[in-house]
Amino acid sequence: MGRAICVFCASSSRIDRRYLDLAAETGAELARRGHTLVSGGATVSCMGEVARAARAGGARTVGVIPEGLVSVEISDEDNDELIVTPDMRSRKGEMDRRSDAFLVLPGGLGTLEELFEIWTARVLGMHDKPLVILDPWGVYDPLRDLMTGLADQGFARPKIFDAVGWTDSVPEAFDLLERTQPRIEATAEDYTEAVAGPPGE
């Protein structure tokens, strides 16, 4: 039985065409494997591409968009289900609730916010849903280096990398999303770091 896979991706119209093509390939592969798409509910940029490609392949699509962005982002009325939330915070909560796994494509500030929220909750053992970053052209290489540096300096534990898969391949991304992921057991020390940083700060 297919999963509900949430795809976080760009809404910018200024990006290179290859990122739009990646979103379309992602939507097509999601449909081919019998999954449901959960996404940001807009017709623009990668959000629109992934949803259109998923529907073209026969997948069910669920869009979640905040009321304030309906006119700004142009809500995707072709979704099988379009949910309008009061604000961004409730939007993310609804997307999380409806999803069995999370796939992150190259994106901007909003995509990073979504990634970090899901990643942090996974590290803290609050969910065991698979999280995968699909990055064929190294957009997130500086992020990976940053997180490695933070771990090296004690600001994060090495197990943060156990909570996320990285790949440059669409098929491999879905292979990772379809696997059962072990829950990461958090300790009291993990929660202390999440709130206050490492000792001595």
Side-chain angles (χ1 to χ4, degrees):
M1 186 171 62
R3 294 185 171 191
I5 296 179
C6 183
V7 177
F8 297 131
C9 57
S11 60
S12 172
S13 61
R14 298 183 297 276
I15 58 176
D16 190 275
R17 179 71 219 181
R18 61 183 175 173
Y19 298 109
L20 302 177
D21 293 341
L22 177 67
E25 183 184 354
T26 297
E29 183 70 7
L30 179 146
R32 188 183 73 78
R33 297 194 184 213
H35 299 305
T36 294
L37 172 69
V38 178
S39 68
T43 60
V44 296
S45 192
C46 293
M47 276 194 212
E49 291 288 344
V50 70
R52 285 188 289 272
R55 284 194 294 270
R60 183 172 187 272
T61 64
V62 178
V64 186
I65 190 167
E67 187 175 4
L69 294 182
V70 169
S71 60
V72 176
E73 287 190 330
I74 308 174
S75 58
D76 186 351
E77 303 294 334
D78 290 330
N79 275 295
D80 295 284
E81 187 177 1
L82 182 65
I83 301 151
V84 179
T85 64
D87 50 40
M88 291 287 284
R89 189 175 297 275
S90 54
R91 177 203 211 181
K92 288 188 297 179
E94 188 67 18
M95 292 171 81
D96 296 353
R97 185 180 70 80
R98 287 173 170 265
S99 301
D100 301 312
F102 302 91
L103 178 59
V104 182
L105 275 56
L109 188 60
T111 305
L112 287 172
E113 180 194 19
E114 292 159 340
L115 164 61
F116 276 117
E117 186 161 321
I118 297 300
W119 194 353
T120 300
R122 178 119 167 74
V123 169
L124 294 178
M126 295 178 176
H127 71 83
D128 57 1
K129 300 175 182 180
L131 169 63
V132 174
I133 295 173
L134 173 57
D135 187 21
W137 301 288
V139 170
Y140 291 127
D141 284 353
L143 171 63
R144 200 169 187 175
D145 291 342
L146 172 63
M147 299 310 295
T148 299
L150 290 175
D152 289 345
Q153 296 182 66
F155 289 100
R157 298 191 180 281
K159 68 180 176 184
I160 61 171
F161 295 106
D162 296 334
V164 61
W166 298 74
T167 182
D168 59 7
S169 160
V170 171
E172 184 181 25
F174 281 93
D175 289 344
L176 293 170
L177 290 167
E178 290 167 355
R179 294 176 189 166
T180 300
Q181 300 294 316
R183 182 176 291 274
I184 295 176
E185 297 299 330
T187 66
E189 202 170 359
D190 292 323
Y191 283 95
T192 302
E193 285 191 0
V195 174
E201 285 201 316

